[in-house]
Each structure stands twice: as C-alpha cells, then as structure tokens.
PDB file of all heavy atoms in Angstrom:
ATOM      1  N   LYS A  18     107.141 112.852  94.101  1.00  0.00           N
ATOM      2  CA  LYS A  18     107.950 113.119  92.847  1.00  0.00           C
ATOM      3  C   LYS A  18     108.749 114.458  93.101  1.00  0.00           C
ATOM      4  O   LYS A  18     109.919 114.462  92.716  1.00  0.00           O
ATOM      5  CB  LYS A  18     107.022 113.296  91.681  1.00  0.00           C
ATOM      6  CG  LYS A  18     107.823 113.554  90.350  1.00  0.00           C
ATOM      7  CD  LYS A  18     106.929 113.576  89.138  1.00  0.00           C
ATOM      8  CE  LYS A  18     107.683 113.826  87.909  1.00  0.00           C
ATOM      9  NZ  LYS A  18     106.893 114.051  86.765  1.00  0.00           N
ATOM     10  N   GLU A  19     108.116 115.366  93.717  1.00  0.00           N
ATOM     11  CA  GLU A  19     108.916 116.693  94.009  1.00  0.00           C
ATOM     12  C   GLU A  19     110.043 116.415  95.007  1.00  0.00           C
ATOM     13  O   GLU A  19     111.059 117.148  95.012  1.00  0.00           O
ATOM     14  CB  GLU A  19     107.938 117.775  94.511  1.00  0.00           C
ATOM     15  CG  GLU A  19     107.043 118.273  93.375  1.00  0.00           C
ATOM     16  CD  GLU A  19     105.949 119.188  93.925  1.00  0.00           C
ATOM     17  OE1 GLU A  19     105.869 119.403  95.165  1.00  0.00           O
ATOM     18  OE2 GLU A  19     105.201 119.699  93.149  1.00  0.00           O
ATOM     19  N   MET A  20     109.819 115.505  95.915  1.00  0.00           N
ATOM     20  CA  MET A  20     110.856 115.226  96.955  1.00  0.00           C
ATOM     21  C   MET A  20     112.103 114.467  96.314  1.00  0.00           C
ATOM     22  O   MET A  20     113.146 114.538  96.929  1.00  0.00           O
ATOM     23  CB  MET A  20     110.339 114.262  97.965  1.00  0.00           C
ATOM     24  CG  MET A  20     109.263 114.961  98.929  1.00  0.00           C
ATOM     25  SD  MET A  20     108.523 113.697 100.042  1.00  0.00           S
ATOM     26  CE  MET A  20     110.009 113.184 100.951  1.00  0.00           C
ATOM     27  N   LYS A  21     111.858 113.803  95.231  1.00  0.00           N
ATOM     28  CA  LYS A  21     112.883 112.904  94.646  1.00  0.00           C
ATOM     29  C   LYS A  21     114.229 113.563  94.526  1.00  0.00           C
ATOM     30  O   LYS A  21     115.231 112.979  94.816  1.00  0.00           O
ATOM     31  CB  LYS A  21     112.398 112.384  93.245  1.00  0.00           C
ATOM     32  CG  LYS A  21     113.278 111.386  92.639  1.00  0.00           C
ATOM     33  CD  LYS A  21     112.674 110.889  91.395  1.00  0.00           C
ATOM     34  CE  LYS A  21     113.625 109.925  90.747  1.00  0.00           C
ATOM     35  NZ  LYS A  21     113.229 109.536  89.424  1.00  0.00           N
ATOM     36  N   SER A  22     114.318 114.763  94.026  1.00  0.00           N
ATOM     37  CA  SER A  22     115.620 115.357  93.812  1.00  0.00           C
ATOM     38  C   SER A  22     116.053 116.269  95.002  1.00  0.00           C
ATOM     39  O   SER A  22     117.129 116.809  95.011  1.00  0.00           O
ATOM     40  CB  SER A  22     115.604 116.221  92.541  1.00  0.00           C
ATOM     41  OG  SER A  22     114.600 117.239  92.711  1.00  0.00           O
ATOM     42  N   LYS A  23     115.229 116.333  96.054  1.00  0.00           N
ATOM     43  CA  LYS A  23     115.555 117.293  97.115  1.00  0.00           C
ATOM     44  C   LYS A  23     115.974 116.598  98.442  1.00  0.00           C
ATOM     45  O   LYS A  23     116.698 117.153  99.176  1.00  0.00           O
ATOM     46  CB  LYS A  23     114.381 118.186  97.376  1.00  0.00           C
ATOM     47  CG  LYS A  23     114.031 119.083  96.214  1.00  0.00           C
ATOM     48  CD  LYS A  23     112.778 119.942  96.449  1.00  0.00           C
ATOM     49  CE  LYS A  23     112.354 120.628  95.261  1.00  0.00           C
ATOM     50  NZ  LYS A  23     111.002 121.221  95.335  1.00  0.00           N
ATOM     51  N   SER A  24     115.336 115.465  98.672  1.00  0.00           N
ATOM     52  CA  SER A  24     115.602 114.771 100.017  1.00  0.00           C
ATOM     53  C   SER A  24     115.392 113.321  99.933  1.00  0.00           C
ATOM     54  O   SER A  24     114.713 112.823  98.993  1.00  0.00           O
ATOM     55  CB  SER A  24     114.731 115.417 101.066  1.00  0.00           C
ATOM     56  OG  SER A  24     113.353 115.102 100.800  1.00  0.00           O
ATOM     57  N   PRO A  25     115.910 112.543 100.827  1.00  0.00           N
ATOM     58  CA  PRO A  25     115.624 111.114 100.785  1.00  0.00           C
ATOM     59  C   PRO A  25     114.158 110.868 101.029  1.00  0.00           C
ATOM     60  O   PRO A  25     113.490 111.595 101.695  1.00  0.00           O
ATOM     61  CB  PRO A  25     116.469 110.589 101.995  1.00  0.00           C
ATOM     62  CG  PRO A  25     117.487 111.624 102.286  1.00  0.00           C
ATOM     63  CD  PRO A  25     116.870 112.952 101.875  1.00  0.00           C
ATOM     64  N   ILE A  26     113.723 109.771 100.420  1.00  0.00           N
ATOM     65  CA  ILE A  26     112.329 109.315 100.573  1.00  0.00           C
ATOM     66  C   ILE A  26     112.249 108.073 101.457  1.00  0.00           C
ATOM     67  O   ILE A  26     112.985 107.074 101.070  1.00  0.00           O
ATOM     68  CB  ILE A  26     111.668 109.136  99.225  1.00  0.00           C
ATOM     69  CG1 ILE A  26     111.614 110.466  98.343  1.00  0.00           C
ATOM     70  CG2 ILE A  26     110.272 108.577  99.345  1.00  0.00           C
ATOM     71  CD1 ILE A  26     111.292 110.327  96.917  1.00  0.00           C
ATOM     72  N   VAL A  27     111.517 108.050 102.428  1.00  0.00           N
ATOM     73  CA  VAL A  27     111.400 106.914 103.354  1.00  0.00           C
ATOM     74  C   VAL A  27     110.145 106.097 102.981  1.00  0.00           C
ATOM     75  O   VAL A  27     109.048 106.622 103.032  1.00  0.00           O
ATOM     76  CB  VAL A  27     111.365 107.347 104.834  1.00  0.00           C
ATOM     77  CG1 VAL A  27     111.203 106.170 105.773  1.00  0.00           C
ATOM     78  CG2 VAL A  27     112.670 108.176 105.156  1.00  0.00           C
ATOM     79  N   CYS A  28     110.352 104.833 102.721  1.00  0.00           N
ATOM     80  CA  CYS A  28     109.265 103.924 102.467  1.00  0.00           C
ATOM     81  C   CYS A  28     109.312 102.749 103.491  1.00  0.00           C
ATOM     82  O   CYS A  28     110.409 102.094 103.499  1.00  0.00           O
ATOM     83  CB  CYS A  28     109.305 103.423 101.017  1.00  0.00           C
ATOM     84  SG  CYS A  28     107.973 102.225 100.615  1.00  0.00           S
ATOM     85  N   LEU A  29     108.250 102.540 104.167  1.00  0.00           N
ATOM     86  CA  LEU A  29     108.225 101.426 105.154  1.00  0.00           C
ATOM     87  C   LEU A  29     106.947 100.589 104.795  1.00  0.00           C
ATOM     88  O   LEU A  29     106.061 100.984 104.265  1.00  0.00           O
ATOM     89  CB  LEU A  29     108.108 101.985 106.561  1.00  0.00           C
ATOM     90  CG  LEU A  29     109.339 102.848 106.999  1.00  0.00           C
ATOM     91  CD1 LEU A  29     109.074 103.483 108.347  1.00  0.00           C
ATOM     92  CD2 LEU A  29     110.685 101.970 107.103  1.00  0.00           C
ATOM     93  N   THR A  30     107.027  99.365 105.307  1.00  0.00           N
ATOM     94  CA  THR A  30     105.948  98.376 105.060  1.00  0.00           C
ATOM     95  C   THR A  30     105.013  98.285 106.207  1.00  0.00           C
ATOM     96  O   THR A  30     105.463  98.219 107.336  1.00  0.00           O
ATOM     97  CB  THR A  30     106.509  97.015 104.735  1.00  0.00           C
ATOM     98  OG1 THR A  30     107.360  97.032 103.625  1.00  0.00           O
ATOM     99  CG2 THR A  30     105.418  96.063 104.378  1.00  0.00           C
ATOM    100  N   ALA A  31     103.701  98.396 105.926  1.00  0.00           N
ATOM    101  CA  ALA A  31     102.684  98.323 106.966  1.00  0.00           C
ATOM    102  C   ALA A  31     101.535  97.382 106.479  1.00  0.00           C
ATOM    103  O   ALA A  31     101.112  97.533 105.351  1.00  0.00           O
ATOM    104  CB  ALA A  31     102.090  99.616 107.297  1.00  0.00           C
ATOM    105  N   TYR A  32     101.191  96.407 107.331  1.00  0.00           N
ATOM    106  CA  TYR A  32     100.107  95.499 106.978  1.00  0.00           C
ATOM    107  C   TYR A  32      98.796  95.729 107.749  1.00  0.00           C
ATOM    108  O   TYR A  32      97.789  95.155 107.396  1.00  0.00           O
ATOM    109  CB  TYR A  32     100.563  94.040 107.182  1.00  0.00           C
ATOM    110  CG  TYR A  32     101.872  93.689 106.421  1.00  0.00           C
ATOM    111  CD1 TYR A  32     102.963  93.238 107.129  1.00  0.00           C
ATOM    112  CD2 TYR A  32     101.930  93.730 105.077  1.00  0.00           C
ATOM    113  CE1 TYR A  32     104.099  92.762 106.547  1.00  0.00           C
ATOM    114  CE2 TYR A  32     103.090  93.354 104.410  1.00  0.00           C
ATOM    115  CZ  TYR A  32     104.132  92.896 105.141  1.00  0.00           C
ATOM    116  OH  TYR A  32     105.360  92.524 104.442  1.00  0.00           O
ATOM    117  N   THR A  33      98.876  96.376 108.879  1.00  0.00           N
ATOM    118  CA  THR A  33      97.784  96.562 109.814  1.00  0.00           C
ATOM    119  C   THR A  33      97.656  97.992 110.207  1.00  0.00           C
ATOM    120  O   THR A  33      98.530  98.800 110.030  1.00  0.00           O
ATOM    121  CB  THR A  33      97.980  95.696 111.048  1.00  0.00           C
ATOM    122  OG1 THR A  33      99.084  96.258 111.735  1.00  0.00           O
ATOM    123  CG2 THR A  33      98.224  94.238 110.722  1.00  0.00           C
ATOM    124  N   ALA A  34      96.439  98.260 110.780  1.00  0.00           N
ATOM    125  CA  ALA A  34      96.109  99.604 111.291  1.00  0.00           C
ATOM    126  C   ALA A  34      97.180 100.093 112.307  1.00  0.00           C
ATOM    127  O   ALA A  34      97.675 101.201 112.286  1.00  0.00           O
ATOM    128  CB  ALA A  34      94.728  99.742 111.758  1.00  0.00           C
ATOM    129  N   THR A  35      97.481  99.207 113.203  1.00  0.00           N
ATOM    130  CA  THR A  35      98.386  99.533 114.321  1.00  0.00           C
ATOM    131  C   THR A  35      99.801  99.856 113.787  1.00  0.00           C
ATOM    132  O   THR A  35     100.328 100.882 114.134  1.00  0.00           O
ATOM    133  CB  THR A  35      98.522  98.282 115.297  1.00  0.00           C
ATOM    134  OG1 THR A  35      97.203  97.969 115.763  1.00  0.00           O
ATOM    135  CG2 THR A  35      99.493  98.633 116.393  1.00  0.00           C
ATOM    136  N   ILE A  36     100.240  99.094 112.836  1.00  0.00           N
ATOM    137  CA  ILE A  36     101.518  99.397 112.273  1.00  0.00           C
ATOM    138  C   ILE A  36     101.493 100.680 111.415  1.00  0.00           C
ATOM    139  O   ILE A  36     102.404 101.474 111.510  1.00  0.00           O
ATOM    140  CB  ILE A  36     102.083  98.241 111.422  1.00  0.00           C
ATOM    141  CG1 ILE A  36     102.358  96.956 112.348  1.00  0.00           C
ATOM    142  CG2 ILE A  36     103.368  98.604 110.682  1.00  0.00           C
ATOM    143  CD1 ILE A  36     102.683  95.704 111.639  1.00  0.00           C
ATOM    144  N   GLY A  37     100.442 100.799 110.651  1.00  0.00           N
ATOM    145  CA  GLY A  37     100.298 101.992 109.855  1.00  0.00           C
ATOM    146  C   GLY A  37     100.259 103.299 110.637  1.00  0.00           C
ATOM    147  O   GLY A  37     100.910 104.332 110.302  1.00  0.00           O
ATOM    148  N   ARG A  38      99.553 103.281 111.781  1.00  0.00           N
ATOM    149  CA  ARG A  38      99.498 104.436 112.713  1.00  0.00           C
ATOM    150  C   ARG A  38     100.806 104.665 113.296  1.00  0.00           C
ATOM    151  O   ARG A  38     101.269 105.870 113.371  1.00  0.00           O
ATOM    152  CB  ARG A  38      98.478 104.148 113.824  1.00  0.00           C
ATOM    153  CG  ARG A  38      98.101 105.324 114.628  1.00  0.00           C
ATOM    154  CD  ARG A  38      96.989 104.961 115.665  1.00  0.00           C
ATOM    155  NE  ARG A  38      95.738 104.511 114.987  1.00  0.00           N
ATOM    156  CZ  ARG A  38      95.275 103.189 115.051  1.00  0.00           C
ATOM    157  NH1 ARG A  38      95.904 102.299 115.702  1.00  0.00           N
ATOM    158  NH2 ARG A  38      94.228 102.879 114.430  1.00  0.00           N
ATOM    159  N   PHE A  39     101.536 103.678 113.703  1.00  0.00           N
ATOM    160  CA  PHE A  39     102.878 103.792 114.360  1.00  0.00           C
ATOM    161  C   PHE A  39     103.882 104.391 113.406  1.00  0.00           C
ATOM    162  O   PHE A  39     104.707 105.243 113.747  1.00  0.00           O
ATOM    163  CB  PHE A  39     103.248 102.451 114.888  1.00  0.00           C
ATOM    164  CG  PHE A  39     104.618 102.458 115.526  1.00  0.00           C
ATOM    165  CD1 PHE A  39     104.745 102.967 116.786  1.00  0.00           C
ATOM    166  CD2 PHE A  39     105.765 101.885 114.895  1.00  0.00           C
ATOM    167  CE1 PHE A  39     105.961 102.980 117.522  1.00  0.00           C
ATOM    168  CE2 PHE A  39     106.996 101.999 115.539  1.00  0.00           C
ATOM    169  CZ  PHE A  39     107.074 102.498 116.842  1.00  0.00           C
ATOM    170  N   LEU A  40     103.922 103.973 112.086  1.00  0.00           N
ATOM    171  CA  LEU A  40     104.922 104.374 111.137  1.00  0.00           C
ATOM    172  C   LEU A  40     104.521 105.607 110.358  1.00  0.00           C
ATOM    173  O   LEU A  40     105.412 106.241 109.723  1.00  0.00           O
ATOM    174  CB  LEU A  40     105.123 103.258 110.174  1.00  0.00           C
ATOM    175  CG  LEU A  40     105.708 101.910 110.683  1.00  0.00           C
ATOM    176  CD1 LEU A  40     105.815 100.889 109.527  1.00  0.00           C
ATOM    177  CD2 LEU A  40     107.034 102.115 111.351  1.00  0.00           C
ATOM    178  N   ASP A  41     103.354 106.057 110.476  1.00  0.00           N
ATOM    179  CA  ASP A  41     102.822 107.192 109.652  1.00  0.00           C
ATOM    180  C   ASP A  41     103.731 108.444 109.810  1.00  0.00           C
ATOM    181  O   ASP A  41     104.041 109.083 108.826  1.00  0.00           O
ATOM    182  CB  ASP A  41     101.416 107.499 110.045  1.00  0.00           C
ATOM    183  CG  ASP A  41     100.783 108.630 109.160  1.00  0.00           C
ATOM    184  OD1 ASP A  41     100.987 108.522 107.886  1.00  0.00           O
ATOM    185  OD2 ASP A  41     100.081 109.435 109.644  1.00  0.00           O
ATOM    186  N   SER A  42     104.203 108.732 110.994  1.00  0.00           N
ATOM    187  CA  SER A  42     104.965 109.961 111.242  1.00  0.00           C
ATOM    188  C   SER A  42     106.389 109.806 110.752  1.00  0.00           C
ATOM    189  O   SER A  42     107.138 110.792 110.675  1.00  0.00           O
ATOM    190  CB  SER A  42     105.002 110.391 112.714  1.00  0.00           C
ATOM    191  OG  SER A  42     105.572 109.353 113.415  1.00  0.00           O
ATOM    192  N   GLU A  43     106.808 108.604 110.490  1.00  0.00           N
ATOM    193  CA  GLU A  43     108.207 108.288 110.139  1.00  0.00           C
ATOM    194  C   GLU A  43     108.443 108.083 108.648  1.00  0.00           C
ATOM    195  O   GLU A  43     109.585 108.065 108.193  1.00  0.00           O
ATOM    196  CB  GLU A  43     108.698 107.043 110.888  1.00  0.00           C
ATOM    197  CG  GLU A  43     108.509 107.127 112.369  1.00  0.00           C
ATOM    198  CD  GLU A  43     109.252 108.229 112.963  1.00  0.00           C
ATOM    199  OE1 GLU A  43     110.396 108.570 112.619  1.00  0.00           O
ATOM    200  OE2 GLU A  43     108.696 108.829 113.987  1.00  0.00           O
ATOM    201  N   ALA A  44     107.342 107.827 107.917  1.00  0.00           N
ATOM    202  CA  ALA A  44     107.511 107.450 106.463  1.00  0.00           C
ATOM    203  C   ALA A  44     106.814 108.378 105.579  1.00  0.00           C
ATOM    204  O   ALA A  44     105.779 109.020 105.872  1.00  0.00           O
ATOM    205  CB  ALA A  44     106.923 106.043 106.273  1.00  0.00           C
ATOM    206  N   ASP A  45     107.442 108.589 104.322  1.00  0.00           N
ATOM    207  CA  ASP A  45     106.755 109.293 103.288  1.00  0.00           C
ATOM    208  C   ASP A  45     105.742 108.403 102.579  1.00  0.00           C
ATOM    209  O   ASP A  45     104.763 108.877 102.203  1.00  0.00           O
ATOM    210  CB  ASP A  45     107.792 109.816 102.304  1.00  0.00           C
ATOM    211  CG  ASP A  45     108.835 110.762 103.037  1.00  0.00           C
ATOM    212  OD1 ASP A  45     108.403 111.680 103.677  1.00  0.00           O
ATOM    213  OD2 ASP A  45     110.038 110.467 102.925  1.00  0.00           O
ATOM    214  N   LEU A  46     106.189 107.166 102.423  1.00  0.00           N
ATOM    215  CA  LEU A  46     105.390 106.089 101.713  1.00  0.00           C
ATOM    216  C   LEU A  46     105.189 104.969 102.651  1.00  0.00           C
ATOM    217  O   LEU A  46     106.109 104.519 103.357  1.00  0.00           O
ATOM    218  CB  LEU A  46     106.127 105.539 100.515  1.00  0.00           C
ATOM    219  CG  LEU A  46     106.349 106.451  99.357  1.00  0.00           C
ATOM    220  CD1 LEU A  46     107.401 105.940  98.365  1.00  0.00           C
ATOM    221  CD2 LEU A  46     105.088 106.755  98.593  1.00  0.00           C
TER     222      LEU A  46
END
C-alpha cells in the first residue's frame, strides 16, 4: 500500500516452488 503512490508494483504469477523461488527477487507480489 505504501508503494502504491511511490513506485510501480510488480505482480507475477507463480504456481510452484521453483517458479516462486525464481521470481521472488523480481516481484513485489
């Protein structure tokens, strides 16, 4: 919520541990 007015928020879809681990450093959500 604090990021909303200050910077873009990145949301990516992850269905598995492997994808979640890979995308974690790139996404806010």
Side-chain angles (χ1 to χ4, degrees):
K18 184 178 178 184
E19 289 174 359
M20 291 174 60
K21 185 177 176 186
S22 61
K23 297 176 185 170
S24 64
I26 298 170
V27 177
C28 179
L29 299 171
T30 302
Y32 303 121
T33 65
T35 302
I36 296 170
R38 190 175 302 109
F39 182 75
L40 296 178
D41 188 42
S42 64
E43 306 301 322
D45 301 305
L46 294 164

